[in-house]
C-alpha cells in the first residue's frame, strides 16, 4: 500500500467527486429521517495543502485553485448553486480565503450530516487510519475502522436507516481494481439495492473503464449513471487523463445538475483536452 492521497488532494478528480458527494448529501438532508454513509476507502479526512507532500505535486493548483481560487474565472449563478454545498465547506475550513485545508470525503461527510445521521469510514493504512480517527474523535456519529474497505460492503449493508450513500473510492494500485470494484459493489447492491452508490475511477486508458461499464450493464443495474471529465488527451496511459464515477440510484435532480456542471468543469479544469460525458448505463424506470 503505497498510495497516499495527500499528494492528490484537491486535484481536478477530487473536485468532481466531492462536488457530487456534497450535492448528494445535501439532497439526503431534505428529509428529517436519518441517513447512513459508508466510505470504504476514506483517507485521512482533511488535507494540509501547505504540507511538503501536497506542495511536491501541487495538483490542487490545477484543481480547487483553478475552480474557486482568487484568480479563478467567474462562476455563473446556476453553477454556483450546484457547487455551493462543496464551496461552503471549503470556505468554512479556509475563512481567510487562501487555500490551506482541503476536505476529504470524511470531513465533507462530517460537516454535511446532522445529529440523527451516522457514517462509517474504512481506512486500511495504519498511519492514515490514526490520523483519520484522531480528526473525528469525539464525534459519536462518525465511526472509523482500520480494516479492508471491501469487507464493509457486506458487514454494514443494509443499514438500519434504509437510506443513504456508499462511496467506493479505492486507490487503483492493483491492475484489476476496476473489476474488483464492480464485483464488490454488486455484492453490496445485492444486500441493499435502494441506496445511492458512487464508484470513483481514474481514466488513464479507455478500455478498463468500458469493461467496468459493461459489467454494470450486463448485471442489469438500473438507474445507473456514467459521469466523466477528461482533461488530458488519452495519448498515454501513464498519467491521470481524466476521472469518472458510476452513480447508482442518483437523486433524481442530479442528472440535470451534471448536465450544466460538467461542461463548465471541462472548460475550467481542462488542459490538453476538455471533454465530459454524462450518460445512463441504464435509465431509471
Ligand atoms: N475517499 C477519500 C476522499 O475522497 O477524500 C480518498 C481515498 S484515497 C483515493 C484511497 C484510500 O484508500 C487511501 O487512503 C488508502 O490508504 C486506502 N486504502 C487502500 N486499500 C484499502 C483497503 N483495502 N481498504 C480500505 N482502505 C484502503
Amino acid at each position: 500500500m503505497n498510495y497516499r492521497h495527500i499528494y492528490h488532494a484537491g486535484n481536478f478528480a477530487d473536485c468532481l467527486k466531492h462536488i457530487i458527494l456534497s450535492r448528494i448529501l445535501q439532497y439526503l438532508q431534505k428529509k428529517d429521517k436519518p441517513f447512513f454513509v459508508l466510505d470504504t476507502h476514506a483517507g485521512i479526512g482533511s488535507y494540509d495543502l501547505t504540507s511538503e507532500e501536497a506542495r511536491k505535486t501541487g495538483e490542487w493548483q490545477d484543481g480547487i485553485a483553478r475552480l474557486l481560487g482568487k484568480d479563478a474565472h467567474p462562476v455563473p449563478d446556476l453553477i454556483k448553486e450546484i457547487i455551493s454545498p462543496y464551496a461552503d465547506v471549503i470556505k468554512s475550513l479556509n475563512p481567510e480565503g487562501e487555500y490551506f485545508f482541503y476536505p476529504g470525503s470524511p470531513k465533507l461527510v462530517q460537516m454535511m450530516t446532522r445529529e440523527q445521521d451516522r457514517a462509517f469510514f474504512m481506512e486500511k493504512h495504519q498511519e492514515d487510519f490514526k490520523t483519520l480517527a484522531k480528526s473525528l474523535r469525539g464525534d459519536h456519529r462518525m465511526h472509523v475502522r482500520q480494516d479492508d474497505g471491501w469487507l464493509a460492503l457486506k458487514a454494514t449493508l443494509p443499514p438500519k436507516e434504509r437510506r443513504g450513500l456508499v462511496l467506493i473510492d479505492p486507490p487503483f494500485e492493483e491492475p484489476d481494481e476496476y473489476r474488483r470494484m464492480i464485483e464488490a459493489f454488486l455484492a453490496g447492491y445485492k444486500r441493499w439495492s435502494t441506496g445511492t452508490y458512487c464508484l470513483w475511477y481514474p481514466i488513464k486508458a479507455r478500455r478498463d473503464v468500458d469493461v467496468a461499464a459493461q459489467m454494470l450493464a450486463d448485471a442489469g443495474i438500473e438507474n445507473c449513471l456514467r459521469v466523466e471529465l477528461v482533461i488530458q488527451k488519452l495519448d498515454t496511459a501513464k498519467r491521470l487523463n481524466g476521472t469518472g464515477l458510476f452513480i447508482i440510484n442518483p437523486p433524481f435532480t442530479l442528472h440535470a445538475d451534471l448536465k450544466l456542471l460538467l461542461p463548465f468543469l471541462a472548460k475550467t479544469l481542462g488542459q490538453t483536452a476538455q471533454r465530459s460525458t454524462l450518460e445512463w448505463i441504464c435509465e431509471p424506470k
Side-chain angles (χ1 to χ4, degrees):
M1 288 183 46
N2 294 318
Y3 183 93
R4 313 303 296 274
H5 196 64
I6 180 77
Y7 290 101
H8 312 291
N11 70 3
F12 76 98
D14 263 8
C15 292
L16 177 67
K17 171 178 61 184
H18 293 145
I19 290 172
I20 290 176
L21 183 64
S22 54
R23 199 67 180 160
I24 294 173
L25 290 166
Q26 185 189 41
Y27 183 83
L28 284 165
Q29 288 178 359
K30 288 196 170 149
K31 282 190 189 156
D32 284 340
K33 276 177 74 180
F35 64 83
F36 172 76
V37 179
L38 168 63
D39 186 351
T40 59
H41 296 73
I44 62 172
S46 59
Y47 297 88
D48 178 357
L49 297 177
T50 66
S51 65
E52 197 183 322
E53 296 93 331
R55 276 191 289 126
K56 190 166 174 192
T57 56
E59 286 191 21
W60 66 275
Q61 300 278 5
D62 283 328
I64 184 63
R66 264 204 205 201
L67 185 62
L68 293 174
K70 57 182 183 332
D71 299 324
H73 290 296
V75 181
D77 285 347
L78 277 173
I79 305 290
K80 245 187 218 160
E81 198 188 316
I82 294 167
I83 64 177
S84 64
Y86 169 72
D88 288 350
V89 169
I90 290 179
K91 219 180 286 162
S92 75
L93 290 179
N94 299 285
E96 310 293 327
E98 294 280 328
Y99 288 129
F100 297 123
F101 293 106
Y102 184 80
S105 49
K107 192 73 194 167
L108 270 172
V109 169
Q110 185 187 30
M111 291 182 74
M112 293 195 67
T113 40
R114 306 148 309 168
E115 182 56 26
Q116 65 269 43
D117 305 322
R118 185 170 66 103
F120 210 95
F121 302 100
M122 303 291 285
E123 174 51 56
K124 201 171 173 191
H125 192 285
Q126 187 169 11
E127 284 307 308
D128 286 1
F129 159 76
K130 279 189 191 157
T131 311
L132 176 63
K134 194 169 163 199
S135 86
L136 298 177
R137 191 171 296 151
D139 188 335
H140 67 97
R141 308 163 309 146
M142 305 287 121
H143 306 268
V144 188
R145 296 274 180 284
Q146 186 192 0
D147 208 341
D148 189 345
W150 302 116
L151 302 177
L153 289 156
K154 284 195 183 145
T156 66
L157 303 183
K160 64 175 191 271
E161 293 83 355
R162 300 277 165 170
R163 58 191 297 264
L165 167 70
V166 177
L167 172 64
I168 306 181
D169 185 17
F172 283 84
E173 284 180 306
E174 308 292 333
D176 208 21
E177 203 92 300
Y178 291 87
R179 176 174 297 279
R180 187 182 193 185
M181 176 168 78
I182 302 296
E183 284 171 356
F185 156 69
L186 290 173
Y189 183 82
K190 217 163 145 187
R191 302 173 73 84
W192 189 38
S193 63
T194 52
T196 296
Y197 292 79
C198 288
L199 279 56
W200 181 87
Y201 55 84
I203 301 176
K204 293 184 174 179
R206 269 260 148 253
R207 200 184 159 277
D208 293 334
V209 183
D210 289 342
V211 169
Q214 193 57 49
M215 282 175 78
L216 289 169
D218 292 346
I221 301 300
E222 271 171 29
N223 202 357
C224 178
L225 261 185
R226 176 176 178 168
V227 180
E228 290 179 0
L229 177 66
V230 173
I231 63 152
Q232 300 274 13
K233 284 184 183 156
L234 298 174
D235 52 7
T236 168
K238 287 197 177 134
R239 62 172 179 231
L240 188 66
N241 292 313
T243 181
L245 293 107
F246 297 120
I247 308 175
I248 296 95
N249 299 327
F252 78 102
T253 46
L254 193 67
H255 186 277
D257 289 347
L258 292 173
K259 208 168 167 183
L260 291 172
L261 177 71
L262 286 169
F264 171 77
L265 290 183
K267 197 172 80 186
T268 309
L269 303 177
Q271 296 180 28
T272 57
Q274 304 189 336
R275 261 198 11 249
S276 62
T277 304
L278 175 65
E279 64 184 33
W280 289 107
I281 293 179
C282 186
E283 279 197 48
K285 281 210 175 124

